[in-house]
Amino acid sequence: MDPRGAARATTHSSPRSQRRAPAPAITFGVPSSQTTTTVATSPVATIRPRPTPPMASYSSKQAEGSTSSELITDAVVVARILNATLVVPSLDHTSFWKDNSNFSDIFDIDWFIATLAQDVRIVKELPTRLKNPISLRVPRKSTPHYYQKSVLPTLVRKNAVRLTKFDYRLANNLSTDLQKLRCRVNYDALQFTGPIEGMGRTLVQRMKSMSGGRFIALHLRYEPDMLAFSGCYYGGGDREVRELASIRKRWKNLRVRSPERERRNGKCPLTPMEVGLMLRALGFSNETYLYVASGDIYGGESTLAPLRALFPHFFTKESLASDKEMEQFSRYSSRMAAIDYIVCNQSDVFVTNNNGNMARILAGHRRYAGHKRTIRPNAKKLGSFFGLRQEMGWEQFAAKLRSLQKGFMGDPMERSSRRDIFENPRVCICDKTHEVEERGEWMGDEEDELFNIDEVLLEHEPDE
């Protein structure tokens, strides 16, 4: 009898992700705390990945993935490694988000299945006879060999296996064919539904119409739970200390950190005012049109006021669209996050105050799509530098900041997190670029990996 099976991915978000941009399980921006993927042996022969040209093509119809796209991408690759059938992800409906969106509410499910048909067999639901598959959890960043050695035998015996808490469960470094499969999933197979895509494109056109064609987008991570976890101090006095300390209690084993040390280590996201000062120092005037993608900002409008003052042409999806236009999306955090993602991806310059998942995925997508500039702060240097702002005039401050930002301006040959295929999909773009990387000729940051607040949050997140 031919063994059959399937794979399912389900995410259970938590309070720490409540204000993070792309929301549910396998969607754009929000890191998931628990995701399950069910895989089973496939009745067909080994599937050969379809060929990918040296220079990857880009379709304007493809979906703009994010942290959740990273998760589903790895689920597809694991199914390929195991020669397994993947069940279309079932998204979590019980988390803090209370978002009852299904995969098909966010992604074009038929396109997803058809696009990957030559790589992995995908079905829409788990067969009735396999409704209760055995659950396994693999170590973080496991290699293909681990899956073949430790998961495949159980898969063959049981016909179906659910891999729980699947976030970051596949190694960064894979063979070229598997890396290119990651790109096919992330940049081609995951395509937004028509309504989401249409709303995103409408907002892009409105920004371009008002600005004369050019605008920048800022992904602003400054949510209370994320700030609490960081252990940083942002100048809010005793009230801030009390409020963030209260939130921090949800992580029972979280050690107390030195705020000064965390800032020196680049683990504190820039404040809205600091982002504004950075952009003005880099040459963006008060005539610049700024689109801001964010969750609930700690401190609300009073925290955003300095950024608004520096960039009066300040817009969000809520200010660009009417309540009626947003009605079909506004109750669903995942769909709202997807709209933000589209606008950010289509901006002339994308800016982030963090190195979280949405920022990383966007940076990679923009590289893949022909290279559009992404500016990320040199957090290790700027964190301490902003404390000296009052000790120097504006010209001196701006000149020094520009010097500190070298290597973080999104130049074509700039290096950052070079082992992260989602932030730097170079192997999928061009053989020549990959050869330059192998010779070690990338300019910019000397570190191989940057601090990723989302990944660290997941590491400490208690099981719900």
Side-chain angles (χ1 to χ4, degrees), residues 67-351:
T67 168
S68 300
S69 73
E70 178 178 345
L71 183 148
I72 183 91
T73 293
D74 282 351
V76 171
V77 174
V78 168
R80 175 73 184 90
I81 291 168
L82 297 173
N83 189 27
T85 297
L86 177 69
V87 173
V88 169
S90 174
L91 310 187
D92 173 51
H93 298 159
T94 61
S95 70
F96 187 94
W97 285 87
K98 298 296 185 292
D99 187 331
N100 64 1
S101 297
N102 294 313
F103 185 97
S104 59
D105 295 318
I106 303 164
F107 297 110
D108 185 330
I109 190 171
D110 293 324
W111 173 271
F112 177 73
I113 293 173
T115 302
L116 297 170
Q118 298 303 310
D119 298 298
V120 173
R121 181 172 182 258
I122 302 174
V123 296
K124 292 184 179 180
E125 60 183 19
L126 197 67
T128 303
R129 64 186 180 83
L130 296 173
K131 288 297 184 183
N132 296 300
I134 187 172
S135 295
L136 299 177
R137 181 177 297 180
V138 300
R140 291 166 59 83
K141 299 183 179 179
S142 296
T143 65
H145 176 73
Y146 180 89
Y147 282 97
Q148 292 168 340
K149 178 182 178 181
S150 301
V151 176
L152 185 57
T154 302
L155 185 60
V156 172
R157 291 197 311 271
K158 301 293 185 178
N159 289 338
V161 172
R162 174 177 295 144
L163 302 181
T164 63
K165 199 167 185 179
F166 195 63
D167 312 79
Y168 299 102
R169 301 296 152 171
L170 183 61
N172 287 328
N173 296 325
L174 301 176
S175 62
T176 299
D177 63 323
L178 292 180
Q179 296 289 52
K180 289 186 176 182
L181 175 55
R182 270 174 160 164
C183 292
R184 283 198 293 281
V185 179
N186 205 29
Y187 305 124
D188 193 16
L190 287 175
Q191 180 179 142
F192 286 139
T193 62
I196 291 174
E197 183 74 19
M199 190 72 254
R201 300 292 175 179
T202 295
L203 299 190
V204 170
Q205 289 305 314
R206 288 175 185 175
M207 285 296 297
K208 289 186 175 182
S209 176
M210 291 185 300
S211 65
R214 297 178 65 83
F215 71 96
I216 67 176
L218 166 65
H219 181 222
L220 186 61
R221 288 290 306 280
Y222 206 72
E223 306 93 337
D225 54 347
M226 191 267 282
L227 297 187
F229 183 89
S230 74
C232 300
Y233 175 69
Y234 295 93
D238 292 340
R239 179 179 177 180
E240 176 189 310
V241 173
R242 289 195 305 271
E243 288 177 344
L244 297 187
S246 177
I247 298 173
R248 201 173 293 126
K249 290 178 181 178
R250 76 176 309 273
W251 294 284
K252 295 180 180 179
N253 298 320
L254 187 65
R255 65 182 178 83
V256 178
R257 299 178 174 90
S258 161
E260 295 78 14
R261 185 187 310 136
E262 296 304 292
R263 183 164 286 269
R264 286 196 304 271
N265 290 337
K267 298 183 179 181
C268 301
L270 300 188
T271 68
M273 181 179 69
E274 290 170 342
V275 175
L277 291 173
M278 178 185 76
L279 291 175
R280 292 298 294 273
L282 293 175
F284 294 96
S285 74
N286 64 354
E287 293 299 314
T288 300
Y289 278 70
L290 178 67
Y291 179 90
V292 178
S294 70
D296 294 334
I297 299 297
Y298 179 67
E301 284 300 314
S302 62
T303 301
L304 287 173
L307 179 61
R308 287 185 182 272
L310 290 166
F311 293 94
H313 300 296
F314 180 110
F315 298 92
T316 63
K317 57 185 175 296
E318 291 84 2
S319 67
L320 288 171
S322 67
D323 291 343
K324 183 175 182 180
E325 287 177 305
M326 298 301 293
E327 184 177 6
Q328 62 177 311
F329 310 109
S330 58
R331 299 190 305 275
Y332 307 99
S333 52
S334 56
R335 304 178 208 186
M336 295 286 275
I339 292 170
D340 267 341
Y341 193 97
I342 293 172
V343 182
C344 288
N345 194 42
Q346 294 300 316
S347 64
D348 295 279
V349 177
F350 173 60
V351 185

Side-chain angles (χ1 to χ4, degrees), residues 422-442:
F422 295 98
E423 185 171 357
N424 292 294
R426 296 186 179 107
V427 69
C428 305
I429 297 173
C430 158
D431 291 339
K432 181 178 180 181
T433 304
H434 185 60
E435 289 169 5
V436 174
E437 180 184 27
E438 292 302 314
R439 293 198 301 268
E441 295 180 10
W442 296 104

Side-chain angles (χ1 to χ4, degrees), residues 38-85:
T38 312
V39 293
T41 51
S42 170
V44 299
T46 301
I47 302 172
R48 295 182 180 276
R50 65 187 182 191
T52 301
M55 300 295 294
S57 61
Y58 171 75
S59 167
S60 61
K61 293 179 63 179
Q62 65 197 42
E64 288 81 355
S66 72
T67 168
S68 300
S69 73
E70 178 178 345
L71 183 148
I72 183 91
T73 293
D74 282 351
V76 171
V77 174
V78 168
R80 175 73 184 90
I81 291 168
L82 297 173
N83 189 27
T85 297

